[in-house]
Amino acid sequence: MTKLMPKFEQHRTDFDYCQTITKRSSSAFSQLPLERAWSIYAVYAFCRTADDLVDVDHDIDGLMALHQSLTAFANGHVPDHPMWRALAVVFETYEMNLDVFFDMLTGQEQDATFKQPQTQQALEDYCYYVAGSVGLMILPMLTANPQSIVKPAVELGIAMQLTNILRDVGEDYQRGRIYLPSKLLAHYQLKPTDLHGPLPSANFIRLWEHEAQIAMNKYEAALTMMPQIDPVARPSLLAATLFYRELLPIAREQHYPILSQRVFLTAERKTQVLNQVSAKMHELALKEA
């Protein structure tokens, strides 16, 4: 049985709580050494709590209360709750950046008072707040030099969020949300109702491909940080990155069904991606030999 650092062992039940409420989203990092994995569970518990307050409970007062708790935490007071106790251990262990936790809440506040972005920059700013910030939260658990790869880590978060948006266009439209910039829709001569589906128009496909290329470029920029990621963390991060990236060619191969349904990776496709991960790991190992 792996021996844990005493402060992690003392707070085992707090980290168990965090893992329970983030089981699905944290599974990508379950193979990390326990202290690192548990620390990511604690960060994801914070993100899941904020996300659920907005998307599930529609509880703006609750989101404000979470912001107040984070402010108290920043001032040295640890709220008496498993998530905060676990996060206190994480902050004692790693060089964490509190600012990005506040940034993440800014993104949730934007979702709670949603307005369609007008420009590509506004869209990417939003993607940073809700996803790029999360990447920066967990970066200290993935590398000894987080400050050296902040930019590609942010690019990865933005790429993943753009992929979410491109995968969920129809679903988001049904919820009354259009994340694609209004100026981009106008450029491609599209009206909001053109996102109703079920079949995409030629102009919509052109817009989708424009946004997908931006995401792919950001994935490429993000992959440049892999040599700086600790070897023990590389397989998990590579797999998460390549699984997400693969959603874009799958949507293309399936003739863009995203106005009526989500695309996903089949078991066979997951195996192919895992082979790509293995090949990339081998390539990195050869370069470092």
Side-chain angles (χ1 to χ4, degrees):
M1 188 173 182
T2 304
K3 187 174 177 61
L4 286 165
M5 294 168 62
K7 55 189 172 183
F8 280 85
E9 186 61 65
Q10 291 164 12
H11 290 273
R12 178 183 286 270
T13 57
D14 295 328
F15 284 103
D16 284 347
Y17 167 87
C18 294
Q19 183 176 5
T20 298
I21 67 172
T22 63
K23 189 160 183 139
R24 192 176 75 173
S25 59
S26 59
S27 61
F29 297 103
S30 61
Q31 301 306 310
L32 287 174
L34 279 181
E35 284 91 353
R36 298 194 195 210
W38 284 12
S39 296
I40 290 174
Y41 299 157
V43 168
Y44 279 2
F46 173 84
C47 299
R48 172 57 55 199
T49 298
D51 197 53
D52 284 352
L53 283 168
V54 174
D55 289 342
V56 178
D57 303 325
H58 310 291
D59 184 357
I60 305 306
D61 290 339
L63 188 65
M64 294 302 102
L66 184 63
H67 195 288
Q68 291 170 358
S69 294
L70 180 60
T71 299
F73 185 80
N75 290 327
H77 172 70
V78 180
D80 187 18
H81 184 277
M83 180 189 78
W84 292 112
R85 292 193 294 268
L87 281 171
V89 174
V90 175
F91 273 75
E92 289 173 16
T93 307
Y94 298 97
E95 291 186 19
M96 302 294 288
N97 180 353
L98 262 168
D99 289 344
V100 296
F101 284 75
F102 284 104
D103 285 348
M104 193 268 179
L105 292 186
T106 296
Q108 295 301 328
E109 290 162 9
Q110 288 181 3
D111 256 344
T113 57
F114 179 76
K115 293 180 181 176
Q116 181 185 7
Q118 290 191 325
T119 65
Q120 182 67 27
Q121 188 59 57
L123 171 60
E124 292 185 24
D125 288 347
Y126 163 78
C127 290
Y128 162 72
Y129 282 118
V130 296
S133 61
V134 180
L136 296 186
M137 289 179 195
I138 67 171
L139 203 55
M141 282 73 88
L142 304 178
T143 175
N145 301 296
Q147 294 306 316
S148 67
I149 50 174
V150 165
K151 187 173 181 180
V154 168
E155 293 284 75
L156 178 57
I158 293 174
M160 286 180 160
Q161 187 62 26
L162 288 175
T163 302
N164 275 339
I165 289 167
L166 291 171
R167 179 194 62 186
D168 300 340
V169 174
E171 184 178 313
D172 287 334
Y173 178 82
Q174 295 300 327
R175 295 168 58 219
R177 296 188 173 203
I178 299 176
Y179 288 96
L180 297 169
S182 56
K183 288 187 176 180
L184 198 63
L185 264 66
H187 177 78
Y188 286 96
Q189 299 178 313
L190 292 166
K191 303 183 299 294
T193 52
D194 291 324
L195 307 185
H196 183 263
L199 298 177
S201 66
N203 280 355
F204 173 82
I205 291 171
R206 281 192 281 272
L207 179 153
W208 192 95
E209 286 291 355
H210 168 86
E211 207 64 54
Q213 187 58 56
I214 291 172
M216 290 299 286
N217 291 343
K218 291 183 182 299
Y219 281 119
E220 287 305 306
L223 286 169
T224 63
M225 73 178 169
M226 287 302 165
Q228 300 298 318
I229 299 296
D230 294 345
V232 71
R234 282 179 196 164
S236 297
L237 186 59
L238 264 173
T241 300
L242 299 188
F243 278 142
Y244 249 86
R245 188 178 71 172
E246 195 71 7
L247 290 168
L248 298 175
I250 288 173
R252 186 178 299 118
E253 292 162 16
Q254 294 181 0
H255 307 293
Y256 313 93
I258 61 282
L259 296 183
S260 57
Q261 65 187 60
R262 280 189 175 190
V263 296
F264 60 90
L265 276 69
T266 62
E268 181 182 5
R269 197 65 169 251
K270 287 180 180 178
T271 299
Q272 292 173 7
V273 173
L274 288 174
N275 288 337
Q276 294 174 26
V277 171
S278 296
K280 186 68 174 176
M281 287 293 295
H282 182 65
E283 176 189 330
L284 287 168
L286 288 177
K287 287 181 179 178
E288 293 173 352

